[in-house]
């Protein structure tokens, strides 16, 4: 499903591209066709106008010389020549006159034919291609003129091989005889029309002048010349041969020319010119029409491209906005979800915290109870020791008192006072022990104060002095630094007593019975190491060392509370109690309590 969606989305741009390309193609084609039609029309109109101008030009040239042969026909030399062709002097004079007129009027040639068509005099008498003596009786213009009409003809010169327009008029003996009697001869003028070809050359479009038979005889496309618009039939061919109009060249259709020469041959505008049924034709350049249409198409495509780019930019902008909107929505949703999650987590945490507080409270009360219970148990244990401790000085006091009494009865005052002094000492020692007990049994809640650790150590050692002695064990105390900590002095002593008594128990069966206590300071902490020469702590025991009621001692001797209580007391002072086996043998308990203030090292 998702895959399909992705695919559809991925295909969308492709579809759009194809559609856009198809649209652009359609627009291009439509524009091209329409522009081509319009350009065709415009070009057609322009061609018509151009054709009109050319035709007028041509017409005026043809007409300009229309009357020239007519006027020349009245020259007396001409009549003389026709009457006396053997009069060489006259002929010579006529030749020169004709030459002069020819040069002035800028025609190709002016010549006089007798009634058979033989040239009597000609303006080109002194050139190698002179007409003099030539017979033009076969030319239509001669025949027409002899019939009394104005003759005109276009053809390639028989003598010169140069094409030209021939105008001929009959010559009569006098103006009065004009049109009534038979003509005496013919006055002919040859005009050059190839000038027009030069003018037309500047035009891009093919321009042709076609005779009544459909043969192209003037054109700015040299290849087309002396080719017909359509295949000529036999009669026409014969006519052409008869008049030698195009110097007997074989006339083939333009369409038979190689493709590149006849490519422009096709649509055209036409206009008839002159009196010989000529057609002036102009073939509007299809290439130009195509060019104009192409320009329009390109302009349309450019506009389309601009529109397309604008649309694309708009689309992109909209998409970006949409994306931003979507991502904003997504963000909102995510934030809401996270907030919800956080709230739930917060509630859970609050519940857990409450539970924790409850547990902590329980722990504290349990701890207090444990401390109290542990202390009581220890008191019980200590009772025997204390009784023993007090018993000894008490027995001594009694002995000293008995002695003092005896000495007093004997009157030995000195000796009596000596014994009394002993009594005083013994009772002082007892007072000291009792004082310690007092401090121990006091329930100390608010007794948090600065404690001198050396003093606590001394007090604990004093309390255990007797026990160590009884067991024949040695207690070595090494105070390397004085240290003050914050806490409860009684509890601190309780911890030390616990540890020392455990050490004493541990060395009880050992060969060497030594317990050492070292006080030092390390990194802002007071460190007390209590090491014994006992067997150390077995791994099995180490696991449960600080658990309440864990003991390896026979019942009645240990309750298993000592280390548990000690540890909790130390923790209450922000310190910690750890145990390990010393590499040199025996167990080592390490007590670390933060110093009240760092002692100088
Ligand atoms: P109790 O001394 O009443 O047994 P404690 O909590 O003080 O209770 O001690 C727990 C146990 O830890 C002892 O029973 C003993 O097995 C072990 N222990 C304590 N101190 C030492 C020590 N210095 N050497 C070896 N074992 C010890």
């Amino acid at each position: 499903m998702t895959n399909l969606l992705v695919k559809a989305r991925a295909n969308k741009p492709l579809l759009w591209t194809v559609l856009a390309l198809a649209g652009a193609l359609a627009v291009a084609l439509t524009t091209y066709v329409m522009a081509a039609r319009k350009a065709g029309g415009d070009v057609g109109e322009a061609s018509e106008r151009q054709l009109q101008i050319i035709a007028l030009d041509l017409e005026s040239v043809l007409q300009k010389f229309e009357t020239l042969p007519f006027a020349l026909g009245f020259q007396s030399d001409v009549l003389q020549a026709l009457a006396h062709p053997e009069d060489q002097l006259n002929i010579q004079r006529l030749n020169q006159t004709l030459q002069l007129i020819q040069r002035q009027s800028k025609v190709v040639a002016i010549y006089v034919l007798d009634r058979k068509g033989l040239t009597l005099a000609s303006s080109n008498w002194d050139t190698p291609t002179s007409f003099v003596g030539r017979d033009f009786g076969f030319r239509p213009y001669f025949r027409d003129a002899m019939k009394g009409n104005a003759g005109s003809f276009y053809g390639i010169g028989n003598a010169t091989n140069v094409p030209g327009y021939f105008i001929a008029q009959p010559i009569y003996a006098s103006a009065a005889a004009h049109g009534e009697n038979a003509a005496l001869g013919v006055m002919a003028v040859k005009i050059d029309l190839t000038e027009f070809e030069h003018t037309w050359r500047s035009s891009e479009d093919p321009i042709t002048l076609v005779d009544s038979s459909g043969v192209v005889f003037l054109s700015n496309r040299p290849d087309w010349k002396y080719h017909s618009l359509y295949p000529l039939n036999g009669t026409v061919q014969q006519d052409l041969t008869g008049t030698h109009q195009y110097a007997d060249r074989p006339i083939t259709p333009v369409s038979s020319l190689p493709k590149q020469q006849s490519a422009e041959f096709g649509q055209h505008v036409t206009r008839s010119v002159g009196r010989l049924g000529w057609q002036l034709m102009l073939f509007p350049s299809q290439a130009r029409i195509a060019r104009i249409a192409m320009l329009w198409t390109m302009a349309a495509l450019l506009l389309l491209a601009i529109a397309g780019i604008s649309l694309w930019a708009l689309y992109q902008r909209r998409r970006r906005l949409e994306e931003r909107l979507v991502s904003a929505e997504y963000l909102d949703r995510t934030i809401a979800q996270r907030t919800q999650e956080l709230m739930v987590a917060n509630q859970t945490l609050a519940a857990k915290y409450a539970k924790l507080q409850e547990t902590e409270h329980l722990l504290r009360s349990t701890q207090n109870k444990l401390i109290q219970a542990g202390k009581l148990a220890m008191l019980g244990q200590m009772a025997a020791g204390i009784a023993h401790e007090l018993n000894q000085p008490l027995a001594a006091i009694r002995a000293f008192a008995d002695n003092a009494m005896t000495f007093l009865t004997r009157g030995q005052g000195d000796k009596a006072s000596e014994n009394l002094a002993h009594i005083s000492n013994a009772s002082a020692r007892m007072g000291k022990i009792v004082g310690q007990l007092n401090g121990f049994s006091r329930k100390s809640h608010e007794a948090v104060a600065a404690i001198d650790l050396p003093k606590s150590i001394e007090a604990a050692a004093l309390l255990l002095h007797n026990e160590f002695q009884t067991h024949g064990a040695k207690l070595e105390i090494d105070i390397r630094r004085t240290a003050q900590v914050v806490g409860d002095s009684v509890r601190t002593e309780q911890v030390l007593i616990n540890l020392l008594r455990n050490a004493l128990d541990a060395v009880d069966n050992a060969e060497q019975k030594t317990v050492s206590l070292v006080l030092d300071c390390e990194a802002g902490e007071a460190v007390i190491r209590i090491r014994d020469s006992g067997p150390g702590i077995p791994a099995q025991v180490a696991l449960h060392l600080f658990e309440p009621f864990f003991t390896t001692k026979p019942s009645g001797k240990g309750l298993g509370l000592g280390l548990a209580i000690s540890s909790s007391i130390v923790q209450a002072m922000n310190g910690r109690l750890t145990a390990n086996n010393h590499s040199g043998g025996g167990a080592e308990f390490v007590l670390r309590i933060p110093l009240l203030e760092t002692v100088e090292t």
Side-chain angles (χ1 to χ4, degrees), residues 381 498-499 502-506 532 534-538 541 544-547 550-553 557-564 586-589:
Q381 279 178 7
N498 270 343
L499 295 175
N502 276 346
L504 183 60
D505 285 344
D532 60 59
I537 308 160
V541 173
H544 309 285
L545 211 55
F546 295 98
E547 283 175 17
F550 175 81
T551 179
T552 57
K553 294 167 190 170
K557 186 140 191 358
L559 266 175
L561 284 173
L563 285 179
E588 183 184 51
F589 283 78

Side-chain angles (χ1 to χ4, degrees), residues 104-115:
Q104 284 295 316
S105 59
K106 292 198 175 72
V107 295
V108 177
I110 305 173
Y111 49 107
V112 181
L113 309 170
D114 68 8
R115 60 165 69 89

Side-chain angles (χ1 to χ4, degrees), residues 431-445:
K432 211 171 177 181
I433 292 167
V434 171
Q436 288 287 339
L437 281 173
N438 265 343
F440 195 75
S441 64
R442 189 175 62 218
K443 196 172 183 202
S444 48
H445 259 321

Side-chain angles (χ1 to χ4, degrees), residues 525-526 567-577 591-594:
E525 282 179 331
S567 177
S568 72
I569 290 171
V570 173
Q571 275 171 29
M573 294 166 82
N574 289 328
R576 57 197 192 280
L577 174 64
L591 196 61
R592 291 169 194 273
I593 306 164

Side-chain angles (χ1 to χ4, degrees), residues 76-95 112-116 118-121 132-133 184-185:
S76 57
D77 289 348
V78 173
L79 294 172
Q80 174 69 17
L82 286 170
H84 301 283
E86 73 287 345
D87 182 353
Q88 282 303 312
L89 219 68
N90 179 53
I91 293 287
Q92 189 55 33
R93 204 170 45 238
L94 185 56
N95 275 341
V112 181
L113 309 170
D114 68 8
R115 60 165 69 89
K116 288 209 180 88
L118 194 77
T119 310
L120 297 178
V132 179
L184 300 176

